[in-house]
Amino acid sequence: MNKTVNITFDYELFFGPESGSVNKCLIEPTNLLFDLAKKHDVKFVFFVDAGFLWHLKKYLHIEKCKAEFDRVSEQIKKLSDNGHEIALHVHPHWEDSIFENSTWKINVNRYKLSDFNDSGVEQIITKYHQTLIEITGKSCKSFRAGGWCMQPFSKIKKALEKNNIFVDSSVYRNGFHQYTAQSYDFRTAPDKTEWNFEDNECIENTAGKFSEIAITPSVLSPSFYFGLYLRMKLNPGKFKPMGDGTWLKDKNKIYKQFYSRTDHFACCDGFFASRLKPILLNLELEAGKNRMLILGHPKSMAKCSFTYLDEFIFFAKNKGYNITTLTQ
Ligand SMILES: [Zn+2]
């Protein structure tokens, strides 16, 4: 396989108490990403939170919602027309969220697809996918579960088959999280950049019809988080995310990051983007690993992330990496 870097973004609002604005979380940072890709002549992958769009469409009689839907659709179409991949990102908690008094009331009681019954899962995946097809005129080929919550895969397999989607990019090896709303366990995933599977994303099956193109894993030390915290305090203009919403937080997980090494992944959000070069250099020391897959969010891009990403793209291209979509 050619040496490949995939730079992927989960295109979405925030899911904590404040969902943030479409302009600050999506439009503005994504326009900067579009310009960056153009500058380097590379292609990105945008996993679009289509549930947001499907539910936004219910409120087109409200002027603000109509304007937001038009702006976001126009941006997604432009990305797609320019060769970036528009992929399906599913956050099913939109099913229980409503727009009221000019703001989204987010309800995460059913945050995972597995919180819905089988026909519910199929309807959600199909109608969200259809929303993207209506915007771009193209079917999606790749999927990423919202909040990495794709398990058990048996719950979503049929719906993906029906939608002709056979590439997943939700797994990062050793990823493990158990929280009221969110849970996933990728501790047994293969130590590979990609593999085929059939019924369980963590078990390789060479004859399986699904491919996992995994998010590149990486371990973070407490010193990284102390550095991040200090930078955001001392120089928010450079290090704070552009998005103006609030995260769905698990306090225990946050504390843990400050006293033990934690499993993370190649990430271009905020100051995390400073680690992209060392992650690629480490990957090159491992036999057979010719692909690095980066995950980021437009909402979490900070001023510094654009600088780090710009330098990283230059660096990776010089090393002969093709920076492209998952299904080029
Ligand atoms: Zn997401």
Side-chain angles (χ1 to χ4, degrees):
M1 192 188 83
N2 292 333
K3 298 204 299 184
T4 304
V5 169
N6 302 120
I7 305 179
T8 74
F9 296 93
D10 293 357
Y11 182 96
E12 63 190 21
L13 296 179
F14 287 85
F15 308 133
E18 304 285 334
S19 62
S21 68
V22 159
N23 263 345
K24 291 286 170 204
C25 300
L26 303 174
I27 304 293
E28 290 179 17
T30 305
N31 279 339
L32 294 173
L33 289 170
F34 181 86
D35 293 344
L36 183 63
K38 199 169 175 186
K39 172 181 164 187
H40 291 283
D41 191 22
V42 297
K43 303 300 173 199
F44 294 153
V45 183
F46 292 88
F47 282 94
V48 174
D49 175 11
F52 164 59
L53 294 172
W54 193 88
H55 287 274
L56 186 60
K57 262 172 47 172
K58 291 195 304 195
Y59 300 95
L60 294 185
H61 54 281
I62 300 170
E63 205 178 321
K64 175 178 150 74
C65 295
K66 168 84 169 74
E68 289 184 352
F69 184 79
D70 290 348
R71 227 174 306 145
V72 170
S73 304
E74 193 189 315
Q75 182 166 62
I76 293 169
K77 176 86 167 90
K78 180 177 158 189
L79 292 167
S80 174
D81 288 349
N82 281 273
H84 298 290
E85 180 176 351
I86 300 302
L88 181 64
H89 190 45
V90 173
H91 274 286
H93 68 265
W94 285 108
E95 294 299 302
D96 302 321
S97 302
I98 55 165
F99 190 78
E100 204 176 64
N101 300 327
S102 302
T103 180
W104 285 102
K105 303 263 184 300
I106 305 278
N107 176 347
V108 292
N109 286 342
R110 294 192 292 175
Y111 186 73
K112 311 183 284 294
L113 275 165
S114 61
D115 295 329
F116 294 79
N117 66 27
D118 290 356
S119 69
V121 170
E122 199 174 308
Q123 279 174 26
I124 289 168
I125 290 185
T126 303
K127 73 187 184 186
Y128 290 5
H129 184 203
Q130 206 55 43
T131 306
L132 294 181
I133 295 175
E134 281 164 19
I135 293 172
T136 62
K138 297 174 199 160
S139 316
C140 295
K141 292 183 178 149
S142 316
F143 170 82
R144 176 173 292 150
W148 300 275
C149 300
M150 68 173 307
Q151 295 162 323
F153 184 68
S154 56
K155 283 282 287 195
I156 59 173
K157 180 182 171 183
K158 247 202 206 120
L160 291 181
E161 282 173 343
K162 283 207 166 157
N163 281 276
N164 266 310
I165 296 176
F166 296 101
V167 173
D168 176 72
S169 184
S170 308
V171 173
Y172 69 101
R173 189 165 52 88
N174 290 331
F176 175 69
H177 189 40
Q178 302 293 332
Y179 180 50
T180 32
Q182 194 182 13
S183 76
Y184 55 86
D185 184 355
F186 302 131
R187 291 175 297 180
T188 58
D191 184 7
K192 289 183 150 190
T193 59
E194 55 215 276
W195 59 89
N196 288 349
F197 69 97
E198 185 64 34
D199 296 307
N200 181 332
E201 70 294 333
C202 287
I203 298 177
E204 181 173 12
N205 174 345
T206 49
K209 65 172 105 54
F210 290 92
S211 317
E212 177 63 40
I213 305 185
I215 303 157
T216 302
S218 164
V219 177
L220 283 169
S221 66
S223 65
F224 172 81
Y225 284 99
F226 281 111
L228 167 74
Y229 178 79
L230 277 178
R231 281 176 174 85
M232 292 219 293
K233 275 259 174 255
L234 298 173
N235 194 347
K238 189 171 169 195
F239 293 100
K240 263 206 151 175
M242 288 177 77
D244 51 0
T246 48
W247 274 279
L248 182 65
K249 278 182 197 149
D250 172 3
K251 288 207 172 112
N252 285 333
K253 189 181 177 193
I254 296 170
Y255 293 144
K256 205 177 156 208
Q257 291 164 345
F258 286 94
Y259 64 78
S260 64
R261 288 167 67 81
T262 41
D263 286 290
H264 201 253
F265 46 81
C267 179
C268 58
D269 291 344
F271 183 54
F272 290 94
S274 65
R275 303 181 60 257
L276 295 175
K277 277 191 211 172
I279 291 173
L280 183 63
L281 289 172
N282 274 333
L283 201 66
E284 290 196 317
L285 302 175
E286 296 188 51
K289 294 196 177 168
N290 291 323
R291 185 196 293 267
M292 174 171 171
L293 192 144
I294 300 163
L295 186 157
H297 304 78
K299 66 182 178 187
S300 306
M301 294 294 287
K303 212 169 177 188
C304 72
S305 343
F306 288 99
T307 311
Y308 291 127
L309 192 56
D310 186 21
E311 287 170 11
F312 172 77
I313 292 172
F314 185 77
F315 176 77
K317 275 185 81 174
N318 263 343
K319 281 182 153 290
Y321 283 86
N322 188 19
I323 302 179
T324 185
T325 58
L326 296 172
T327 51
Q328 76 273 29

